[in-house]
Amino acid sequence: MVVGGHGGNGCVSFRREKYLPRGPPNGGNGGGGGNVVFIADPNKNSLHGLTYRLEAKSGRNGKGQDMHGPRGKDLIIKVPAGTVVREITDLSQSKLGSDHHHTEDTVDPSDGALYRLFQQVEETRRLESENAGYFVHYPKWEDRNTVNHIVFPEQYQAYIRQLKDHEPFNIDLAAPGQEVVVARGGIGGFGNPYFVTKDESAPHYALRGLPGETRLLELELKTIADAGLVGMPNSGKSTFLRAVSNAQPKVAPYPFTTINPYVGTITYPDLFQLRVADIPGLIPGAHRNIGLGLTFLRHIERSRVLVFVIDLSKPDPWNDLEVLRHELECYSPGLSHRPSLVVANKADLADTARDNLNRWHQMTDMSIVPVSALHQKNISKVLHVLRSMVSEIKEGL
Ligand SMILES: Nc1nc2c(ncn2[C@@H]2O[C@H](COP(=O)(O)OP(=O)(O)OP(=O)(O)O)[C@@H](O)[C@H]2O)c(=O)[nH]1
Ligand SMILES: [Mg+2]
């Protein structure tokens, strides 16, 4: 939930001087509330550490002697580049909620918590619209002031209109440095000098500040990588990423070691860099979300080149490639045709791997690069091919 800071109230006050007991009005305006701002930061890799309620500071109230209240401080939140921000106006629209699972890289409270948050937002909105107390009154003047005829300042009206009819967000913070105000701070109230007219030289009222915008947002990190490692669990994707990049994802001899995408950077000798995402393993049925498949498929969608990592020591490794392609295609038609290369891993496991490779070569003209990620054999061949593929795509953009 994001909440803009409350606007400070305007002040009702009059100048007091020794020989001038009822001086002109001099109440300051309230400061506007701070905004909640998201900014895409290329150095952030996950949404960890974000709290469920992000609230900017309120503006201060105006004071006598024409002292305007200072604006509330903005709350600036750095999110990873590639974060998609969606506003939830109706729980059934929630993309993540409907996947019935929760990953660590998304701010995605359990269904119950999500529902409660949603109710809170609705409640806040209701109170805002019912809160008719727009005015601050001079002490004991509540009953004497007649404010029904007062026309609100245009800025104030505009803010109220915008609170009522804003379009729900759906923003892709893809570009580093891109920023968006996700909840605006409320406008500050006007002090009593604003209401001076020729008939009313001493208004005994001022305007209250208005609440900031309150919104319920859903954040999803869609990793943008040059290449994504796509493979069955345990095929050696993480081992491969460790071998080629600065990243140190966990490697273990069992499936689903990797449960969150992990992005590593490969630096070539001439300092050219590529970002490679280690994506959790896919299994048959992933497009129906089996094995948390949908979350992982989303990350694949954002990789320019797909690197299929296939365990060459298993029987019929080519079947794995077909299963993976099928899952990609079912998730997003056309995805399986994205530029790709096949890394046949565990080529060091002698007998089966060599036979498999020979048979595979006979079956297809596709380029299949045998490697041993574990022993770092033939890795440079993959890096060479990968670089030329990515460069070609980038030049074409
Ligand atoms: N012999 C051999 N074993 C390998 C090779 N590459 C990876 N392994 C082993 O295979 C197992 C799985 O490796 P990981 O890198 O964790 O596999 P993964 O594809 O990331 O697995 P998930 O994260 O579960 O999807 C580990 O025990 C690795 O040591 C290789 O080239 N040769
Ligand atoms: Mg892994």
Side-chain angles (χ1 to χ4, degrees):
M1 189 193 309
V2 288
V3 185
H6 206 291
N9 295 337
C11 172
V12 190
S13 145
F14 299 92
R15 206 158 101 200
R16 297 255 178 272
E17 278 169 29
K18 234 177 176 173
Y19 303 106
L20 195 72
R22 275 179 50 84
N26 69 355
N29 298 335
N35 299 326
V36 181
V37 182
F38 284 177
I39 177 159
D41 182 341
N43 298 318
K44 284 214 80 169
N45 289 317
S46 85
L47 293 166
H48 280 292
L50 282 187
T51 48
Y52 291 148
R53 189 183 166 93
L54 300 168
E55 185 165 0
K57 290 265 184 281
S58 299
R60 297 284 198 75
N61 295 341
K63 290 189 189 160
Q65 303 181 345
D66 291 313
M67 287 201 286
H68 299 315
R71 245 184 68 85
K73 219 172 146 209
D74 287 347
L75 178 65
I76 309 232
I77 302 290
K78 291 179 179 166
V79 297
T83 300
V84 176
V85 180
R86 265 189 307 271
E87 182 168 358
I88 308 175
T89 47
D90 168 0
L91 272 188
S92 62
Q93 287 169 359
S94 160
K95 199 168 161 195
L96 297 175
S98 63
D99 285 355
H100 297 300
H101 69 264
H102 313 291
T103 60
E104 288 178 52
D105 66 322
T106 50
V107 175
D108 186 13
S110 70
D111 288 341
L114 194 62
Y115 186 68
R116 280 197 302 279
L117 271 176
F118 189 66
Q119 282 186 321
Q120 272 184 39
V121 173
E122 291 292 279
E123 179 66 11
T124 316
R125 291 223 171 100
R126 199 178 57 75
L127 287 176
E128 271 165 22
S129 59
E130 283 178 7
N131 179 10
Y134 284 113
F135 290 92
V136 182
H137 299 274
Y138 195 71
K140 305 207 182 88
W141 275 69
E142 285 85 349
D143 299 331
R144 286 162 72 182
N145 280 335
T146 47
V147 290
N148 302 338
H149 64 286
I150 304 291
V151 180
F152 288 153
E154 177 48 37
Q155 277 166 281
Y156 208 79
Q157 291 185 39
Y159 180 79
I160 294 172
R161 273 199 302 274
Q162 280 163 13
L163 270 188
K164 282 195 185 118
D165 46 34
H166 81 267
E167 285 289 303
F169 276 134
N170 192 354
I171 299 164
D172 188 349
L173 287 171
Q178 193 179 336
E179 59 175 83
V180 60
V181 175
V182 289
R184 291 188 322 141
I187 190 168
F190 288 72
N192 61 337
Y194 180 87
F195 300 98
V196 172
T197 58
K198 64 175 179 350
D199 304 324
E200 171 66 283
S201 60
H204 282 66
Y205 48 83
L207 267 181
R208 281 186 193 287
L210 292 180
E213 293 174 313
T214 297
R215 290 175 173 176
L216 187 56
L217 302 178
E218 171 170 83
L219 305 189
E220 182 190 345
L221 175 55
K222 291 196 171 182
T223 315
I224 305 170
D226 297 305
L229 303 177
V230 184
M232 298 275 180
N234 215 38
S235 63
K237 299 175 295 297
S238 301
T239 310
F240 180 81
L241 191 67
R242 286 177 85 104
V244 300
S245 78
N246 61 344
Q248 298 286 313
K250 186 174 169 201
V251 167
Y254 47 78
F256 293 115
T257 307
T258 306
I259 50 171
N260 273 313
Y262 203 115
V263 181
T265 304
I266 309 179
T267 306
Y268 288 76
D270 63 350
L271 302 183
F272 177 84
Q273 289 192 322
L274 276 186
R275 279 162 61 82
V276 179
D278 179 13
I279 295 162
L282 293 182
I283 54 174
H287 72 278
R288 282 182 276 119
N289 205 23
I290 294 180
L292 303 189
L294 290 177
T295 332
F296 309 158
L297 282 159
R298 274 191 213 125
H299 293 277
I300 295 174
E301 214 182 355
R302 288 226 167 170
S303 304
R304 295 192 169 99
V305 171
L306 307 182
V307 179
F308 289 105
V309 179
I310 309 286
D311 182 346
L312 194 57
S313 68
K314 278 172 56 180
D316 305 331
W318 37 85
N319 286 346
D320 281 2
L321 182 62
E322 287 321 307
V323 170
L324 292 170
R325 284 225 158 106
H326 177 73
E327 292 303 325
L328 297 189
E329 200 56 32
C330 290
Y331 173 70
S332 166
L335 187 56
S336 69
H337 301 298
R338 202 161 279 184
S340 63
L341 79 146
V342 177
V343 168
N345 191 31
K346 308 199 187 181
D348 56 286
L349 292 177
D351 305 340
T352 42
R354 186 169 311 133
D355 293 348
N356 276 339
L357 185 65
N358 289 336
R359 281 183 61 196
W360 203 349
H361 274 314
Q362 281 161 19
M363 291 161 60
T364 172
D365 325 322
M366 223 167 26
S367 93
I368 299 163
V369 188
V371 306
S372 168
L374 188 61
H375 301 295
Q376 310 212 1
K377 291 275 158 52
N378 216 22
I379 299 285
S380 55
K381 172 81 189 285
V382 179
L383 294 189
H384 180 76
V385 177
L386 197 55
R387 178 173 178 168
S388 55
M389 288 176 86
V390 171
S391 304
E392 204 170 296
I393 293 173
K394 281 191 170 166
E395 276 156 26
L397 288 178

